[in-house]
Amino acid sequence: MSDVLLEIENLETRIGAGEGAVRAVDGVSLAVRRGETFALLGESGCGKSMTALSIMRLLPAPAGHVVGGRVILEGTDLLGLSEAEMRRVRGGRIGMIFQELMTSLNPVLTIGEQIAETVHMHRRLRGRALRARVLELMDSVGVPSPRRHIGDYPHQLSGGMKQRVMIAIALAGEPQLLIADEPTTALDVTIQAEVLDLLRRLQHETGMALLLITHDLGVVAQMADQVGVMYAGHIVEEAPRAPFFENPHHPYSRKLFESVPTMDKRDRPLAVIPGSVPELTRVFHGCRFVDRCARAWEACREIAPAWRVVADGYRVRCHLYDPAHADGAPEPARVPAPAAVVRPARSDHGADLLRVTDLEIHFPIQSGLFKRISGRVRAVDGVSLAVGVGHTLALVGESGCGKTTVAKGILQLIRPTAGSVRFDGVELTTLRGRALRRRRRDFQIIFQDPFSSMNPRMMIGDIVEEGMVALGLVTDRDARRARVEELLGQVGGLPARARERYPHEFSGGQRQRICIARALAVDPKLIVCDEPTSALDVSVQAQILNLLKRLQGKLGLSYLFITHNLSVVSYLADDVAVMYLGRIVERGAVGEVLEAPCHPYTEALLSAVPVIDEASRREVIRLEGDLPTPVDPPAGCHFHPRCPRAMPVCREHYPGVTRIGEHHEVRCHLHGT
Amino acid sequence: MVKLVFLWTDALLYVLVATVLLSAWYIRSHEHLRAPWREVLHSRLGVAAMVVLAAYVTIGLLDSVHFRMPAGGRAADGAERYSGRVLSVLDLILTPLRTHEEETYSAPLATRLYTKETVELPDGRDVRIYPRLRYGGAQLRDPARERIPDILHTVLRGAVFALVLWAALLALVVARLARRHRWRVLHALYRVLSGRTEHPWNVALYTAGALILFGSVTGHLAVHYHVFGTDKVGQDVFYETLKSIRTGLVIGTLSTLVMLPLAIVLGITAGYFRSWVDDVIQYLYTTLNSIPGVLLIAAAILMLEVYMANHPQNFQTVIARADLRLLFLCIILGITSWTGLCRLLRGEALKLRELDYIQAAQAFGVGHTKILTRHILPNVMHIVLITVVLDFSGLVLAEAVLTYVGVGVDPTTYSWGNMINGARLELARDPVVWWSLAAAFVFMFGLVLSANLFADAVRDAFDPRSGTTRGPGSGRRDVGA
Amino acid sequence: MIAYIIRRILYAVPILIGVNLITFVLFFSVNSPDDMARMQLGTKRVTPQAIQMWKHDHGYDKPLLYNAAQRGVDRFTDTIFFQKSVRLFAFDFGRSDSGRDIGSDIRQRMWPSLAIAVPVFVVGLLTNITMALLIVFFRATYLEVSAVVLSVVLMSISSLFYIIAGQYIVGKLMHLVPISGYAGGLSAFKFLVLPVVVGVISGIGSGTRWYRTIFLEEFGKDYVRTARAKGLSELRVLFRHVLQNGMVPILTGAMVILPLLFMGNLILESFFGIPGLGSYTIDAIQSQDFAIVRAMVFLGSVLYIVGLLLTDISYTLVDPRIRLR
């Protein structure tokens, strides 16, 4: 094929040397055609970023090195080039953007200088022409008024703007191929939609090819022409987008689809992939997925599956599709119809476990000669919400909107500036000392980062029983021990001997289970879940969501679930509250709000979520600019500067609450009386 | 029987040794604490440095058991009388070196004095000659002819003895490993010597071999010669430099350890509580830090001198007096250096207090004291350890400089600083008296180099990436040149 | 920015009072004004009247910290501590206990001190940074390994050794420069070469190692990967990106030392017989001249605080992310 731009053959990359070397990339082959988007899909640790770095020959030195294979860009093997020749390829013929956009720009150089550097390097422009080109590039990636921002330093830019600058740098050499390594993972959905939009537009304009590395099926569905699914160091399935999304072949791909939470899976547990990704230090003889595959048989253990072409341009590495082996395949196990999760009938709001009214949390800003308080960060600025007994309220919002601060304010980890937090009829904000401590057993918290949420110097047993000891719940040592073992079993089969091990010996998903066990240890009525799954892969996320759902059914727990992920909301929550800049703009039952959003912000948020199912895709509503700062919120409705439907009145007054339905409220002038 | 004498620094050293042993026992039973140490033991340079340090520490500890010998006879009340001189176990071992005093300077391995003296011949005439030494090479009848062969012969005997000792050590190690791994003896030997063992035993053995060789050869020579010559008053320089080891070790360890509790408590409470507690503690260490280190040390030492001059009755022996000054120097050095650690710990506690597990503990209503001791303290201990190890070599070097300035250890204390100070003026002589300087510098270099290498290994193991402890040493830049 | 600087200067006042209190307590907890007078007057035939006279002349005839004989604020102001401290804040150092004008002594002696300390600092900084950059450029080669080992060896050698070896080899064996001493004007040069060289060499080991870790740390950061992905050459990455970012910790580390250079290099000055502030201080300590010690401690603290302030200001110059409020 002459239209192939980049071809990778049997690429092998190792990190480290000797027996302990990690085979990060272990036989990857793929081809990217001119002007098309190849999406490399995989969960963390599968080697997709290492593949990209191997192409660029930017592996972390001296540990990482390519040990085999070829990377052919228009007939030249990049692995055979000298370093000087390779430098002309980097930035010139292949541009790359990275996931870590907060740290990937040089903090002490202006963005103009950083873009100009690449232009100068590859286009040999100087002076006026150079500056003109930089401005042109900035304009083309959508930096508003480039002249004003050319002298800005990276820290002065928002996340979305940083990513635009990164793209401008990558495009400066007018490359034929752009490698984008998780370009939107660190961004909020509305910004993500814009950046993906931008990438598509640029690709259309310049005709460059795009190698898109991502873990997000939704992003793949929107962007890709060709999809490669990566697992444990190599590609297991490669197909054009449409047939892949219609009918994925590899058992791993199928499981990935099934584990994505959606509204219509609400009444049953999500599919999970048991076990975890195998260590890449070992040499594989059979199929790499065999230990986690529901349909594996002996042949899968003994013979590594070769590529099978199942349709035109569609190939898969699985014995199921190989007539020579497939006879031994077991019938797909009938998944027993999951017992519908019994939920208490939706009670009216009289049975609220938690009722927050007009909660305000402000942080003073000190300035001037004597550090007088000159302003306030209005992190939370009048939030009211309620969580019913045995129910889940999802608090949704983009980063910086104050949702975590709400959680800490409710738990009294930060003392609110004003407002009331009534829990089970008791006002928490006025409780002090012992009285508050006695109450603490009723509400607990689970954090986002499974790695910083446990003291690395304590054993699991001590971590789980910490609450019981601190609150004096179980004073007997043996009873405590028995309870810890029971809890560890309850959260998903952690063995009793896990008690005497340390956090670093567990994977992210296991740690999150232990954190749930720790919270459960004091028999709480409410658990605040602060983005508990956003650091996890989708298959592990499914495990945690299932667990949370099961525990709720069994123990009658209430959840305040804080997240930015709307698909999780649609799967898990009963009610949802959408937060924007310290205030709740819309709340109601999850079905009503997600199906028929009333606030323009909720609409925009929903439209920006990349959807797998093409039928349910909506027109993306573009939001202008970034989230304003809570120090100096816009007058009137906080959302009006970005709102596509803003009216004059929006600039004047903050809208009051309008009731749409029985359980549906919105604060927007569009619906005002 | 002898009468044991407990000096202040002895007692603190014992406490230190006990602490080290206790923590070693504790660490053994905790896997996550053991892991970084295992990494230290895997580093070749680290192991070599540890062997050398162990030799220094052994000598230092032998020199820290003090007693007074019976002086013979009994006092009026029937109690045994003791000599006024306080000796250590090391002194006993080195008795020949200690007692073989010459008139004045003599070069290493010399048989005659370094200076001409007027000697009265038996026939009554006075001649100016280089007189024979009282002890150095005294067994030789014709030193001019016999000296070199005798020295070579002694070196050879020492080397053979060392080889035997080393072979025994090797056999011990090989036997142990063979038993543990169920290897055949020859296979174990091959593995050990070629370095194919979990820990770099070959490096440890070769380093130990070099030390044994050096010790054995000098030991054999020292019986009849002054290996490093003698100083102005005829004292054996080798003896002096061995005695100086203890001073170096005391300064290097006790200085940081004396102030450690204060630095830890203040550092983590400042970082954890913030607000006014932080303000007060920050004020405290900024104030202390802003006083130039040498001036503070000088003022404190002078103060002590005046106090000692005014209260002579409080000090029974010269050695007790010198010891108190040593301890005081440690304390004051500790005060000038604890601010750095305090600031590091404050910064770390500031970071830790925002971590989720601290928040989780607060959500359980765990008290502040418990959070500090259970959650914060264990997670900053690696910084404490690295700081202590890193500071060690700087302190050893600082001793020499401070002693030179006149605000270091007591002039009667054996220390490298005093040796250098005493020998420095002799450089103006012609020909030069170089051996005191050389011995002091070489032994100091050995200790400091191995401490630095060990510190590197420890830091790499405990703080592999983060830059928290990679500062340029804690604020002692103004002491060094 | 201005508000920040003013606030920092105001913060300095309690610190300086604290420093003064410490020196004062340290000194007078073993010495009494009577002891000082006796020491200054000599031991022979000292009459109580002479002591009284001396104390009155030098302002030591008041209570130390608290004057019970006075009323109101005077109870605290009419004391030795207050009287002696207040003057310092106006940089009026007064006369030393032996009668010399400390201010003019300092003005006279600071030049030799600066003549040694500034070259040692500047040359040392440049040498160390260059060495560190070279090591980083050749990273992951044997050159790096041996350079790192060499710097550990160099930093394990006592600074006294460098001085003595330097004096012996260059001064005594080769007779290139005088071993010690000082002269004003241009002839100062020949007296300064050796101490400066020795000062630089003795700092190479630890300095190079420190800067190396700074650069290596920068090298591990994501923006370096971005710079490489642009196709920049290794040298350009090193000088334009790594060095500029490394300047933040380097400059801020150096700024604290800058004002302290004024105080002179104690050991170098004393070994090479250079009449700077370092040896001035040592002499004062040895003769127990409280006035000079107090003045020097105060000066040192002021310079240290100025150094901290310079550090903060230099942060804003090299790191656009930091703004002082």
Side-chain angles (χ1 to χ4, degrees):
Chain A
M1 277 184 283
S2 63
D3 61 343
V4 169
L5 175 70
L6 175 83
E7 192 169 9
I8 301 176
E9 284 172 18
N10 233 350
L11 183 71
E12 284 182 46
T13 299
R14 303 223 176 125
I15 310 292
E19 286 170 27
V22 176
R23 298 154 186 275
V25 182
D26 197 11
V28 164
S29 302
L30 59 86
V32 183
R33 279 185 285 272
R34 283 172 213 284
E36 85 165 15
T37 300
F38 188 104
L40 202 51
L41 174 76
E43 295 184 288
S44 51
C46 71
K48 51 192 196 301
S49 292
M50 282 301 156
T51 307
L53 292 176
S54 304
I55 297 171
M56 293 290 271
R57 293 188 23 200
L58 284 175
L59 289 165
H65 48 275
V66 176
V67 294
R70 298 203 294 166
V71 177
I72 296 164
L73 182 73
E74 287 191 313
T76 27
D77 186 356
L78 298 185
L79 299 180
L81 293 184
S82 74
E83 188 56 31
E85 289 167 325
M86 190 62 208
R87 279 204 291 270
R88 278 200 291 277
V89 174
R90 285 187 209 127
R93 296 173 66 189
I94 308 179
M96 182 159 179
I97 53 181
F98 298 94
Q99 174 179 5
E100 299 83 3
L101 57 101
M102 290 302 155
T103 51
S104 285
L105 289 171
N106 188 332
V108 305
L109 296 180
T110 64
I111 57 172
E113 287 171 312
Q114 298 190 52
I115 300 172
E117 201 173 36
T118 326
V119 179
H120 173 74
M121 173 81 201
H122 295 284
R123 290 288 164 263
R124 296 285 152 206
L125 296 180
R126 286 175 192 285
R128 217 175 264 275
L130 178 62
R131 188 181 154 86
R133 176 70 184 135
V134 170
L135 289 172
E136 190 189 354
L137 275 167
M138 288 172 71
D139 187 54
S140 74
V141 295
V143 175
S145 44
R147 263 170 220 291
R148 224 179 46 198
H149 290 291
I150 192 168
D152 281 2
Y153 288 95
H155 72 277
Q156 293 168 293
L157 305 178
S158 67
M161 215 47 87
K162 277 199 191 105
Q163 196 59 297
R164 286 170 194 274
V165 172
M166 278 298 298
I167 294 172
I169 291 175
L171 293 181
E174 293 164 34
Q176 297 155 294
L177 173 68
L178 178 67
I179 301 178
D181 186 358
E182 303 266 12
T184 57
T185 307
L187 300 173
D188 283 312
V189 276
T190 53
I191 314 287
Q192 162 171 308
E194 285 179 52
V195 170
L196 292 180
D197 217 34
L198 171 69
L199 283 176
R200 258 197 312 252
R201 182 168 61 77
L202 290 170
Q203 193 179 13
H204 185 72
E205 284 168 14
T206 62
M208 65 179 177
L210 181 63
L211 177 59
L212 178 72
I213 291 167
T214 182
H215 69 281
D216 191 331
L217 276 170
V219 172
V220 176
Q222 270 188 27
M223 300 286 293
D225 296 308
Q226 192 78 9
V227 183
V229 181
M230 213 169 158
Y231 185 78
H234 73 176
I235 296 180
V236 293
E237 181 164 7
E238 194 187 328
R241 182 192 55 200
F244 174 74
F245 277 89
E246 216 162 274
N247 181 21
H249 280 57
H250 199 281
Y252 173 65
S253 314
R254 291 190 172 185
K255 283 284 187 189
L256 278 186
F257 275 89
E258 288 164 25
S259 58
V260 175
T262 56
M263 183 79 89
D264 45 319
K265 293 178 192 159
R266 276 178 74 91
D267 48 357
R268 57 184 158 152
L270 294 167
V272 296
I273 307 177
S276 54
V277 182
E279 294 281 330
L280 291 181
T281 44
R282 54 180 259 214
V283 181
F284 295 96
H285 297 293
C287 173
R288 295 172 192 202
F289 190 57
V290 62
D291 292 330
R292 307 175 70 188
C293 187
R295 301 191 61 193
W297 73 102
E298 312 84 70
C300 301
R301 291 192 185 284
E302 286 150 17
I303 308 159
W307 280 119
R308 293 299 307 174
V309 177
V310 292
D312 186 29
Y314 198 131
R315 49 184 196 161
V316 60
R317 277 187 205 258
C318 182
H319 288 319
L320 281 175
Y321 304 98
D322 187 348
H325 295 292
D327 350 320
E331 282 303 299
R334 290 242 165 259
V335 182
V341 181
V342 186
R343 303 180 62 81
R346 203 189 141 73
S347 53
D348 60 1
H349 279 216
D352 284 341
L353 179 66
L354 173 77
R355 179 167 272 280
V356 177
T357 323
D358 297 331
L359 185 72
E360 285 179 21
I361 301 175
H362 296 177
F363 300 106
I365 305 169
Q366 296 167 330
S367 67
L369 190 51
F370 297 103
K371 292 218 154 187
R372 266 195 306 264
I373 295 169
S374 63
R376 296 167 174 285
V377 180
R378 298 165 187 274
V380 178
D381 198 20
V383 160
S384 301
L385 49 82
V387 183
V389 177
H391 277 70
T392 302
L393 169 71
L395 187 58
V396 182
E398 294 179 288
S399 49
C401 74
K403 51 194 194 300
T404 297
T405 315
V406 171
K408 291 190 175 163
I410 290 172
L411 294 175
Q412 305 301 310
L413 293 175
I414 300 175
R415 285 304 183 140
T417 314
S420 126
V421 178
R422 288 187 86 79
F423 182 88
D424 222 359
V426 179
E427 179 61 47
L428 295 184
T429 50
T430 51
L431 283 187
R432 290 279 180 276
R434 187 178 285 271
L436 176 62
R437 193 171 302 172
R438 251 204 320 274
R439 277 270 145 197
R440 282 199 180 280
R441 66 172 297 186
D442 289 336
F443 40 91
Q444 279 305 312
I445 184 164
I446 306 168
F447 297 95
Q448 168 177 9
D449 181 3
F451 289 89
S452 74
S453 54
M454 278 187 279
N455 186 342
R457 310 270 169 196
M458 276 166 76
M459 284 190 288
I460 299 302
D462 296 330
I463 290 174
V464 174
E465 71 171 28
E466 184 172 30
M468 290 189 263
V469 177
L471 297 172
L473 297 182
V474 187
T475 42
D476 178 54
R477 233 185 138 88
D478 291 327
R480 244 184 358 237
R481 188 184 152 141
R483 176 87 177 109
V484 168
E485 282 172 15
E486 182 196 330
L487 284 165
L488 289 177
Q490 198 174 17
V491 295
L494 286 163
R497 66 192 147 73
R499 253 178 356 102
E500 282 164 11
R501 289 163 67 188
Y502 287 91
H504 70 264
E505 299 172 56
F506 297 90
S507 69
Q510 286 173 317
R511 283 160 167 253
Q512 210 55 296
R513 287 162 191 273
I514 295 166
C515 288
I516 294 173
R518 169 172 67 184
L520 288 179
V522 292
D523 293 321
K525 295 175 182 157
L526 170 77
I527 297 184
V528 175
C529 308
D530 187 1
E531 308 244 19
T533 61
S534 59
L536 305 175
D537 279 318
V538 61
S539 62
V540 184
Q541 163 175 293
Q543 298 172 7
I544 299 295
L545 292 180
N546 284 347
L547 172 65
L548 287 174
K549 212 154 191 172
R550 201 181 76 221
L551 290 172
Q552 186 168 48
K554 198 165 142 198
L555 306 172
L557 293 171
S558 305
Y559 294 134
L560 174 61
F561 199 94
I562 294 170
T563 185
H564 65 274
N565 186 334
L566 286 167
S567 63
V568 172
V569 173
S570 63
Y571 174 73
L572 196 71
D574 300 303
D575 302 293
V576 60
V578 181
M579 201 168 166
Y580 186 80
L581 207 64
R583 294 188 183 175
I584 286 178
V585 294
E586 181 165 8
R587 62 172 171 153
V590 71
E592 291 174 45
V593 174
L594 297 192
E595 296 298 327
C598 291
H599 199 282
Y601 177 63
T602 318
E603 285 175 15
L605 213 53
L606 279 166
S607 76
V609 180
V611 192
I612 299 170
D613 186 7
E614 222 154 320
S616 61
R617 195 169 295 161
R618 315 172 200 216
E619 178 72 17
V620 174
I621 301 169
R622 293 192 56 160
L623 293 184
E624 295 296 321
D626 296 306
L627 194 67
T629 120
V631 180
D632 183 21
C637 175
H638 291 348
F639 187 57
H640 85 258
R642 301 174 73 193
C643 183
R645 296 160 73 182
M647 305 175 290
V649 63
C650 299
R651 287 179 195 93
E652 307 290 325
H653 308 289
Y654 198 90
V657 176
T658 314
R659 270 187 178 274
I660 304 289
E662 193 191 348
H663 301 299
H664 195 168
E665 294 173 2
V666 65
R667 300 186 81 167
C668 180
H669 288 302
L670 285 174
H671 303 272
T673 42
Chain B
M1 271 307 288
V2 296
K3 181 179 176 186
L4 287 175
V5 175
F6 289 101
L7 299 177
W8 273 105
T9 50
D10 288 345
L12 285 172
L13 276 182
Y14 299 155
V15 171
L16 173 62
V17 171
T19 321
V20 169
L21 291 178
L22 272 178
S23 17
W25 174 76
Y26 183 80
I27 287 166
R28 271 185 75 88
S29 57
H30 289 74
E31 174 53 33
H32 68 292
L33 297 174
R34 218 165 53 184
W37 280 111
R38 204 179 298 130
E39 207 172 301
V40 173
L41 289 176
H42 283 177
S43 127
R44 288 160 175 277
L45 279 176
V47 166
M50 272 172 98
V51 172
V52 178
L53 282 179
Y56 274 101
V57 169
T58 313
I59 295 174
L61 287 180
L62 286 177
D63 202 10
S64 298
V65 183
H66 288 100
F67 49 79
R68 284 154 70 175
M69 294 292 268
R74 286 185 179 269
D77 54 354
E80 211 169 338
R81 285 203 344 209
Y82 293 98
S83 138
R85 184 139 192 211
V86 177
L87 293 178
S88 73
V89 174
L90 186 74
D91 288 329
L92 275 196
I93 297 171
L94 300 178
T95 302
L97 273 75
R98 179 167 57 90
T99 51
H100 289 184
E101 287 186 15
E102 306 291 349
E103 278 300 313
T104 178
Y105 290 115
S106 71
L109 301 174
T111 54
R112 294 181 179 276
L113 278 183
Y114 197 60
T115 46
K116 276 191 176 168
E117 279 189 7
T118 312
V119 177
E120 197 179 331
L121 289 180
D123 58 8
R125 281 183 305 141
D126 285 355
V127 283
R128 288 197 48 88
I129 54 159
Y130 296 105
R132 280 289 295 270
L133 294 178
R134 245 176 282 165
Y135 300 96
Q139 84 283 18
L140 306 177
R141 243 174 288 143
D142 180 5
R145 214 163 38 83
E146 295 173 24
R147 190 176 77 108
I148 303 290
D150 184 60
I151 289 173
L152 288 179
H153 187 77
T154 318
V155 167
L156 200 66
R157 262 191 300 145
V160 171
F161 183 73
L163 196 67
V164 173
L165 259 183
W166 187 72
L169 190 67
L170 176 68
L172 209 70
V173 170
V174 167
R176 249 195 86 146
L177 284 178
R179 207 152 118 202
R180 184 186 299 166
H181 299 283
R182 299 178 183 286
W183 291 333
R184 286 202 324 276
V185 173
L186 274 181
H187 179 68
L189 183 68
Y190 161 74
R191 281 209 167 219
V192 165
L193 289 184
S194 61
R196 288 189 173 83
T197 43
E198 193 199 344
H199 303 296
W201 277 108
N202 57 338
V203 176
L205 281 168
Y206 294 144
T207 317
L211 288 176
I212 292 174
L213 185 68
F214 176 78
S216 166
V217 167
T218 47
H220 277 82
L221 282 173
V223 178
H224 293 300
Y225 295 95
H226 300 290
V227 183
F228 288 99
T230 53
D231 70 355
K232 190 167 189 170
V233 293
Q235 176 110 61
D236 189 289
V237 172
F238 190 35
Y239 173 72
E240 282 180 16
T241 183
L242 286 179
K243 290 285 284 181
S244 302
I245 288 174
R246 176 178 184 272
T247 312
L249 289 175
V250 166
I251 300 250
T253 52
L254 292 190
S255 299
T256 31
L257 294 174
V258 169
M259 296 309 294
L260 210 51
L262 194 65
I264 294 176
V265 170
L266 291 185
I268 62 177
T269 45
Y272 178 72
F273 289 109
R274 297 194 298 192
S275 74
W276 65 269
V277 181
D278 190 21
D279 289 340
V280 170
I281 293 172
Q282 276 203 66
Y283 167 73
L284 205 66
Y285 71 62
T286 316
T287 305
L288 272 177
N289 218 16
S290 71
I291 303 178
V294 193
L295 287 181
L296 190 63
I297 295 167
I301 290 294
L302 285 177
M303 191 188 103
L304 183 76
E305 269 180 3
V306 174
Y307 174 81
M308 282 177 166
N310 295 345
H311 304 83
Q313 69 281 5
N314 291 2
F315 308 98
Q316 283 189 329
T317 52
V318 181
I319 198 164
R321 203 185 127 108
D323 184 70
L324 198 73
R325 173 152 170 174
L326 180 62
L327 178 66
F328 201 75
L329 182 65
C330 288
I331 292 174
I332 201 76
L333 271 173
I335 288 177
T336 55
S337 64
W338 72 277
T339 51
L341 178 61
C342 196
R343 207 171 50 221
L344 269 184
L345 292 179
R346 172 181 168 270
E348 195 65 13
L350 271 176
K351 265 187 266 167
L352 287 176
R353 77 186 298 278
E354 299 300 330
L355 284 189
D356 290 341
Y357 62 83
I358 308 277
Q359 301 264 322
Q362 284 168 349
F364 285 127
V366 178
H368 292 312
T369 331
K370 209 152 184 195
I371 289 182
L372 281 174
T373 52
R374 260 169 84 100
H375 292 292
I376 302 218
L377 186 61
N379 285 297
V380 299
M381 277 321 273
H382 68 286
I383 297 182
V384 175
L385 176 78
I386 295 171
T387 314
V388 169
V389 182
L390 276 181
D391 274 3
F392 177 86
S393 51
L395 286 163
V396 175
L397 291 176
E399 182 272 329
V401 171
L402 289 174
T403 306
Y404 162 74
V405 176
V407 292
V409 297
D410 194 83
T412 63
T413 308
Y414 290 106
S415 89
W416 291 313
N418 272 331
M419 286 174 71
I420 295 168
N421 204 14
R424 187 173 68 87
L425 296 172
E426 304 301 333
L427 274 180
R429 287 172 73 111
D430 226 10
V432 178
V433 176
W434 50 268
W435 44 88
S436 275
L437 279 177
F441 280 133
V442 165
F443 273 75
M444 188 159 55
F445 176 69
L447 179 61
V448 173
L449 180 64
S450 46
N452 276 333
L453 293 175
F454 178 66
D456 277 3
V458 167
R459 188 174 54 186
D460 288 346
F462 282 84
D463 191 19
R465 268 182 313 162
S466 98
T468 18
T469 52
R470 291 193 188 265
S474 43
R476 204 167 296 99
R477 296 174 77 101
D478 48 342
V479 173
Chain C
M1 178 88 156
I2 302 291
Y4 179 83
I5 293 174
I6 295 176
R7 194 166 62 242
R8 284 297 293 263
I9 290 171
L10 290 181
Y11 278 159
V13 174
I15 291 176
L16 289 174
I17 294 176
V19 167
N20 255 319
L21 199 62
I22 292 174
T23 0
F24 193 81
V25 168
L26 262 183
F27 194 86
F28 282 105
S29 60
V30 289
N31 272 318
S32 67
D34 287 5
D35 293 339
M36 290 171 63
R38 251 179 242 120
M39 180 148 172
Q40 293 301 331
L41 293 170
T43 39
K44 285 178 208 158
R45 287 193 303 147
V46 190
T47 59
Q49 289 83 357
I51 289 178
Q52 278 309 321
M53 275 292 289
W54 186 90
K55 278 163 66 179
H56 184 77
D57 287 349
H58 289 82
Y60 288 110
D61 55 349
K62 298 188 170 81
L64 291 176
L65 281 169
Y66 179 75
N67 193 343
Q70 296 287 347
R71 2 176 81 220
V73 193
D74 282 351
R75 288 183 174 207
F76 297 98
T77 54
D78 195 29
T79 56
I80 298 180
F81 177 68
F82 186 84
Q83 296 294 334
K84 296 271 170 193
S85 299
V86 159
R87 286 246 209 94
L88 285 178
F89 281 90
F91 291 93
D92 172 11
F93 299 121
R95 297 198 157 270
S96 79
D97 295 343
S98 56
R100 297 175 60 88
D101 180 1
I102 299 177
S104 79
D105 269 358
I106 290 178
R107 272 190 295 281
Q108 187 195 340
R109 281 172 164 263
M110 61 186 246
W111 297 113
S113 277
L114 288 174
I116 272 209
V118 171
V120 167
F121 174 77
V122 174
V123 178
L125 198 66
L126 291 178
T127 322
N128 296 344
I129 291 178
T130 318
M131 300 276 282
L133 280 174
L134 278 175
I135 294 180
V136 169
F137 186 73
F138 289 104
R139 70 192 176 289
T141 64
Y142 278 101
L143 210 64
E144 185 200 16
V145 178
S146 32
V148 170
V149 171
L150 183 70
S151 56
V152 182
V153 170
L154 284 180
M155 69 182 267
S156 303
I157 297 173
S158 169
S159 54
L160 296 179
F161 176 81
Y162 291 110
I163 297 175
I164 292 173
Q167 281 187 331
Y168 183 71
I169 295 168
V170 181
K172 195 166 169 201
L173 293 186
M174 298 160 72
H175 295 288
L176 288 179
V177 292
I179 290 179
S180 71
Y182 188 75
L186 277 180
S187 54
F189 181 75
K190 66 172 190 241
F191 290 100
L192 290 176
V193 175
L194 187 57
V196 168
V197 170
V198 165
V200 169
I201 290 179
S202 62
I204 280 187
S206 53
T208 306
R209 252 167 67 94
W210 187 46
Y211 296 127
R212 173 182 164 263
T213 48
I214 289 177
F215 292 138
L216 276 186
E217 209 179 304
E218 289 298 325
F219 243 102
K221 292 196 174 158
D222 290 331
Y223 70 82
V224 172
R225 196 178 55 187
T226 311
R228 290 220 182 92
K230 290 174 177 178
L232 300 185
S233 69
E234 198 69 354
L235 272 179
R236 201 170 158 84
V237 172
L238 192 63
F239 277 93
R240 184 160 170 89
H241 291 268
V242 173
L243 184 59
Q244 278 212 22
N245 276 280
M247 279 329 265
V248 180
I250 291 174
L251 266 189
T252 47
M255 280 299 162
V256 184
I257 309 171
L258 209 52
L260 286 175
L261 295 180
F262 191 72
M263 297 284 287
N265 191 315
L266 218 74
I267 291 98
L268 284 180
E269 281 182 20
S270 136
F271 255 96
F272 289 96
I274 287 157
L277 287 176
S279 44
Y280 184 58
T281 316
I282 295 268
D283 294 346
I285 290 169
Q286 269 150 9
S287 61
Q288 304 207 12
D289 195 320
F290 178 56
I292 299 181
V293 171
R294 203 183 51 215
M296 294 307 288
V297 168
F298 184 82
L299 194 61
S301 308
V302 169
L303 292 173
Y304 176 79
I305 292 165
V306 171
L308 289 183
L309 189 58
L310 282 182
T311 306
D312 287 346
I313 295 171
S314 71
Y315 263 131
T316 61
L317 296 181
V318 290
D319 190 338
R321 285 167 293 184
I322 294 167
R323 282 177 56 203
L324 303 178
R325 268 193 309 237

